[in-house]
Amino acid sequence: MDIITQAPRGTEDKLPSQIYKWHTVEKIAAQIAEAYGCKEIRTPTFEHTELFQRGVGGTTDVVQKEMYTFNDKKGRSISLKPEGTAGAVRASLENGLLNEALPLKLYYFTRCFRYEAPQSGRLREFNQFGVEIFGANSPLSDAEVICMVEDIFKFLKLENIRLEINSIGCPTCRAEYQKALKEYYQQYTDQLCDTCKERLEKNPMRLLDCKSEICHSFAEKAPIILDYLCDDCNKHFEGVKQALDDLKVKYTINPRIVRGLDYYTNTVFEFAADNCGAQGVVCGGGRYNGLVEEIGGKPTAGLGFAMGIERILMVMDAQNAEYEQPKECDLFIAGTDPDSSRYALTLVKQLREYGFWAECDVVGRSLKAQMKYADKIGARFSMVIGENEIKEGTAQLKNMQTGEKSVVTIGDKFAGAVNSILMGID
Ligand code: ATP
Ligand code: MG
């Protein structure tokens, strides 16, 4: 492999010809999040490794196996962020955002880095859109957040997305449940995968999440957390379901969803779709009431979600979804000679200041080659400028699709003169 001309394994270039798809998803996700009162936050690409050990959890695969960790020149342990939540919590604490009006509602787009086995829909550098809400503990806020995801998918016109929800209780009811799980798995200890043998001691709920076939089959008959919820957690879960019903959000209850990260409490949820490679889950989230305190803040309710944008685009492509089309070139102004091309550049500048995409020849092409290029980039209109046009102060604007021509003034008032034609207003 030529390491200079090949991107590292598990990374992907997002090419100019595809970027409009990203813009569509980013625009809709941000619009919906803002309608829900969220404000954007941007946090660093790398953080102190300890933040993720605390905030994601030392027993998770993400921290144990998947992080890109290195020492910087001063010997500090730094990790590229594997997810967005821990950084958002750290930034909120450090900048006092949690002292302002609550709930604090944040959204972000971020690259994430995880050293995983690359496959379709599973990369080592991927992109997430995420939302985090702090200081809201009512079941209504769980329902609101889930509804936000559904709205995003609705506006992206995604179909057949399944929502599954579960409650994983609070540390108290979970302790009972974990005991029951350990007992259940005792009979299979020898057959478990090596990772799960370890998990059984440290974090038995993670066994339900294991992707190996054999562990997966044992999970089917394992005790379920919903039978162990305490009264408060039960009431919370009932409240979430009721609010989802009010909002007409359809869900199924899947008692085996535990989520991969340590910090979840109560509600957890996943949105799954077919057609996103080997992986089904396009969005995961839930409540994490213990996290802010874990990272050094006062006990503060928290909840949120993160969706994988690459996976969403895979589903959208498979469903022939509509994207907002990339902008076309509005006008190409050709020059018949070098002086005219210089003049064309001044006209193009005027148009660009009006927000149009305008082009002229900066390569030194013949007139014929310029027109060929205009055609290639799909210019909607064209215009040829020569000595005569400059002398007379007018030129012909040609609609490339209909062939229709109109005479327009060039000179200082050019952009104003062609504005309505380029906008398609008669
Ligand atoms: P999975 O079970 O597929 O490994 P996860 O539980 O590790 O997912 P989260 O940590 O919840 O995923 O991340 C939220 C979302 O980010 C996922 O639902 C998925 O859409 C996306 N995602 C996670 N890991 C990857 C990856 N390696 N490549 C592409 N997208 C990913
Ligand atoms: Mg994972």
Side-chain angles (χ1 to χ4, degrees):
M1 185 185 84
D2 185 340
I3 59 167
I4 294 182
T5 54
Q6 266 186 25
R9 198 164 132 72
T11 67
E12 223 177 53
D13 298 307
K14 318 299 182 197
L15 298 173
S17 61
Q18 298 295 306
I19 212 74
Y20 68 100
K21 297 181 176 178
W22 286 80
H23 292 164
T24 301
V25 174
E26 285 162 3
K27 191 168 151 190
I28 287 179
Q31 258 171 13
I32 303 286
E34 284 171 16
Y36 277 81
C38 302
K39 299 228 165 66
E40 186 179 355
I41 187 166
R42 301 184 190 187
T43 65
T45 302
F46 55 86
E47 299 269 2
H48 293 118
T49 301
E50 290 81 354
L51 173 68
F52 300 118
Q53 283 168 342
R54 279 290 195 87
V56 179
T59 64
T60 57
D61 282 358
V62 169
V63 168
Q64 279 186 337
K65 303 185 196 158
E66 299 171 0
M67 275 209 301
Y68 279 86
T69 299
F70 56 93
N71 285 341
D72 70 7
K73 290 188 196 302
K74 281 264 174 73
R76 303 176 192 98
S77 182
I78 295 291
S79 295
L80 301 184
K81 59 168 132 171
E83 52 89 60
T85 305
V89 173
R90 198 261 318 129
S92 300
L93 287 171
E94 189 172 343
N95 297 288
L97 306 189
L98 290 166
N99 306 329
E100 294 165 18
L102 296 181
L104 171 68
K105 300 178 174 186
L106 306 172
Y107 76 86
Y108 55 79
F109 294 95
T110 186
R111 288 158 189 257
C112 297
F113 305 86
R114 297 185 190 178
Y115 196 82
E116 303 200 64
Q119 346 168 5
S120 153
R122 191 174 293 285
L123 296 156
R124 290 183 174 168
E125 182 189 19
F126 62 98
N127 287 267
Q128 281 187 347
F129 168 73
V131 162
E132 318 291 350
I133 296 185
F134 301 103
N137 202 18
S138 147
L140 290 188
S141 62
D142 303 57
E144 192 184 32
V145 159
I146 291 172
C147 194
M148 188 184 330
V149 180
E150 214 205 40
D151 270 354
I152 292 171
F153 291 155
K154 190 162 78 194
F155 279 82
L156 290 174
K157 301 203 179 71
L158 283 183
E159 285 166 4
N160 304 321
I161 308 278
R162 301 174 298 277
L163 164 62
E164 296 186 340
I165 63 171
N166 188 24
S167 170
I168 55 169
C170 61
T172 317
C173 40
R174 217 181 298 162
E176 279 301 300
Y177 175 60
Q178 291 190 329
K179 224 160 72 189
L181 264 186
K182 272 189 194 168
E183 268 163 35
Y184 166 79
Y185 276 108
Q186 225 70 92
Q187 53 185 320
Y188 302 119
T189 319
D190 296 344
Q191 300 168 61
L192 293 173
C193 76
D194 288 347
T195 319
C196 279
K197 278 185 191 136
E198 250 177 69
R199 284 174 176 147
L200 190 55
E201 277 318 303
K202 291 193 211 141
N203 197 340
M205 280 170 76
R206 205 48 51 65
L207 268 76
L208 300 175
D209 210 21
C210 182
K211 291 184 175 82
S212 99
E213 217 166 281
I214 179 102
C215 301
H216 197 76
S217 70
F218 299 146
E220 270 163 33
K221 294 217 174 69
I224 63 171
I225 177 83
L226 295 177
D227 294 335
Y228 291 80
L229 293 186
C230 64
D231 287 350
D232 281 351
C233 289
N234 240 325
K235 209 169 127 205
H236 189 94
F237 196 42
E238 286 308 312
V240 176
K241 288 188 281 183
Q242 216 165 51
L244 287 175
D245 291 339
D246 293 343
L247 294 164
K248 302 201 166 40
V249 174
K250 292 204 180 68
Y251 56 85
T252 53
I253 293 165
N254 178 353
R256 267 162 264 281
I257 297 184
V258 291
R259 306 288 309 128
L261 312 177
D262 262 355
Y263 46 66
Y264 286 97
T265 51
N266 294 106
T267 318
V268 286
F269 60 86
E270 287 180 352
F271 285 82
D274 304 324
N275 336 98
C276 55
Q279 327 309 326
V281 179
V282 286
C283 176
R287 182 170 279 287
Y288 45 81
N289 284 351
L291 181 62
V292 173
E293 198 180 2
E294 183 70 36
I295 297 184
K298 284 187 274 191
T300 308
L303 74 164
F305 64 79
M307 50 178 79
I309 304 183
E310 282 84 355
R311 288 190 196 174
I312 287 170
L313 287 174
M314 286 178 85
V315 179
M316 288 181 71
D317 279 344
Q319 295 186 359
N320 290 317
E322 276 173 37
Y323 296 100
E324 201 170 293
Q325 287 304 305
K327 239 177 121 175
E328 290 173 315
C329 174
D330 291 301
L331 175 58
F332 185 90
I333 307 181
T336 54
D337 56 274
D339 282 347
S340 303
S341 287
R342 266 178 58 207
Y343 191 77
L345 186 57
T346 68
L347 296 179
V348 157
K349 175 175 188 280
Q350 279 189 46
L351 287 178
R352 289 173 177 166
E353 284 169 4
Y354 263 66
F356 291 112
W357 173 9
E359 295 284 353
C360 61
D361 179 50
V362 290
V363 182
R365 290 190 169 111
S366 70
L367 183 59
K368 198 172 152 205
Q370 288 181 48
M371 295 319 287
K372 211 164 145 188
Y373 175 73
D375 211 41
K376 221 180 202 169
I377 61 170
R380 295 166 50 228
F381 289 86
S382 70
M383 179 179 261
V384 180
I385 305 265
E387 218 177 309
N388 280 346
E389 280 77 11
I390 296 173
K391 204 160 64 199
E392 280 161 25
T394 58
Q396 277 195 339
L397 186 69
K398 182 179 170 191
N399 182 322
M400 298 284 269
Q401 212 162 37
T402 62
E404 196 184 335
K405 290 181 179 164
S406 9
V407 176
V408 294
T409 12
I410 53 177
D412 292 348
K413 301 219 164 64
F414 173 63
V418 296
N419 182 37
S420 57
I421 303 178
L422 294 187
M423 298 274 286
I425 311 162
D426 281 330

